[in-house]
């Protein structure tokens, strides 16, 4: 089954403790992206990747890092999480016609 | 810059009611337009799209027509069901061939009561 898999689904952490949210797709898509969803703000793009070793900033990249060492994986790294990064995060990949989204990761930073 | 504005929710309707969710856009050039739907606890999924003026996208009883003269892409359904309860996002793509440049509206939550 074609899918985008994110883990974990829920995460509670404390300020400053490094964390990684994983994202994997099995559709051989070149394009992958991370979004955060916040009430009243909709979806905002954090980072995206057009292909392996090619990443670029989206609208809200501050406080986040990504890497794309292989086509299927696109982890989101928070080196020093802060409470304002409490949000619902979505990974997505694209076949150029539409985006395929993961089920989301609800992150709470205390 | 390019942007999407959609009506704020939440929208609450009774089953079989008519639905309209307004979406207008600002863009240079000729963007493609999309509606994505997010069911509770899930990620977004494409509902329908239109790539040029006067195109009508349709899926699952939903329709939206790309109106260049009014820069709009309103979502409509003639008879909603409880299972249509979800958050709906209007989006535009200003760079053809690259889904990474989708600009999303803020979303409209729809609740359908039996």
């Amino acid at each position: 089954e074609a899918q985008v898999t994110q883990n974990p689904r829920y995460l509670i952490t404390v300020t400053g403790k490094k964390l990684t949210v994983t994202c994997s797709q099995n559709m051989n898509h070149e394009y992958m992206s991370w979004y955060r969803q916040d009430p009243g703000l909709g979806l905002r793009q954090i980072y995206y990747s057009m292909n392996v070793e090619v990443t670029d900033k989206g609208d809200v990249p501050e406080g986040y890092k990504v890497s794309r060492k292989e086509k299927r994986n696109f982890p989101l790294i928070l080196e020093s999480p802060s409470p304002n990064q409490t949000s619902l995060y979505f990974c997505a990949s694209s076949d150029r016609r539409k985006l395929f989204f993961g089920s989301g990761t609800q992150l709470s930073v205390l | 810059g390019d942007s999407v504005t959609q009506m704020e929710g939440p929208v609450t309707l009774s089953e079989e009611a008519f639905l309209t969710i307004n979406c207008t856009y600002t863009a240079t050039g000729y963007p493609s337009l999309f509606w994505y739907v997010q069911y509770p606890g899930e990620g977004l999924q494409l509902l329908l799209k239109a790539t040029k003026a006067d195109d009508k996208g349709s899926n699952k009883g939903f329709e939206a027509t790309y109106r260049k003269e009014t820069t709009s892409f309103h979502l409509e359904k003639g008879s909603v069901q409880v299972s249509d309860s979800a958050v709906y996002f209007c989006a535009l793509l200003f760079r053809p061939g690259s889904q990474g440049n989708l600009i999303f509206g803020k979303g409209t939550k729809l609740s359908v009561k039996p």
Side-chain angles (χ1 to χ4, degrees):
Chain A
E1 179 189 353
Q3 60 185 2
V4 177
T5 303
Q6 294 178 230
N7 280 296
R9 190 72 186 266
Y10 301 95
L11 179 59
I12 301 174
T13 189
V14 295
T15 299
K17 186 175 181 182
K18 181 180 178 180
L19 67 90
T20 300
V21 184
T22 63
C23 175
S24 179
Q25 51 95 3
N26 62 1
M27 295 169 278
N28 202 37
H29 290 164
E30 293 181 344
Y31 179 87
M32 297 185 74
S33 180
W34 277 102
Y35 297 85
R36 60 178 290 174
Q37 183 178 12
D38 301 289
L41 297 176
L43 249 65
R44 294 180 293 169
Q45 191 178 49
I46 303 171
Y47 269 94
Y48 64 96
S49 170
M50 301 294 287
N51 211 329
V52 175
E53 301 292 2
V54 180
T55 63
D56 210 344
K57 297 177 181 179
D59 297 320
V60 289
E62 294 78 20
Y64 304 94
K65 285 176 56 177
V66 292
S67 69
R68 188 87 182 276
K69 292 184 170 56
E70 48 192 342
K71 188 180 271 192
R72 66 181 292 120
N73 295 324
F74 190 45
L76 179 69
I77 303 157
L78 285 71
E79 295 269 3
S80 182
S82 61
N84 64 12
Q85 292 178 298
T86 292
S87 186
L88 178 59
Y89 291 86
F90 288 100
C91 180
S93 69
S94 173
D95 63 357
R96 293 184 174 271
R97 290 175 298 171
K98 66 178 182 181
L99 284 168
F100 296 79
F101 283 83
S103 298
T105 296
Q106 180 64 59
L107 171 65
S108 296
V109 183
L110 306 178
Chain B
D2 296 351
S3 65
V4 173
T5 303
Q6 60 182 106
M7 64 185 287
E8 293 193 21
V11 174
T12 302
L13 296 173
S14 297
E15 207 164 22
E16 299 184 2
F18 183 85
L19 168 72
T20 300
I21 299 178
N22 290 338
C23 172
T24 57
Y25 67 90
T26 301
T28 53
Y30 303 97
S32 296
L33 300 172
F34 303 80
W35 278 100
Y36 276 80
V37 59
Q38 183 182 28
Y39 297 105
E42 299 182 12
L44 282 71
Q45 54 187 275
L46 180 65
L47 179 60
L48 54 83
K49 69 177 182 181
T51 57
K52 61 183 187 296
D54 299 324
D55 266 3
K56 177 185 284 188
S58 62
N59 186 24
K60 299 182 180 179
F62 291 89
E63 292 184 340
T65 301
Y66 189 163
R67 302 280 188 205
K68 186 172 180 291
E69 64 276 12
T70 55
T71 62
S72 65
F73 193 53
H74 304 322
L75 183 68
E76 297 181 336
K77 186 173 184 180
S79 176
V80 293
Q81 306 300 312
V82 173
S83 57
D84 294 326
S85 297
V87 181
Y88 293 82
F89 292 88
C90 186
L92 75 81
L93 177 66
F94 62 87
R95 189 176 302 170
S98 176
Q99 286 285 323
N101 296 301
L102 270 179
I103 295 174
F104 287 93
K106 294 183 179 181
T108 302
K109 183 175 182 179
L110 170 66
S111 295
V112 180
K113 307 297 184 187

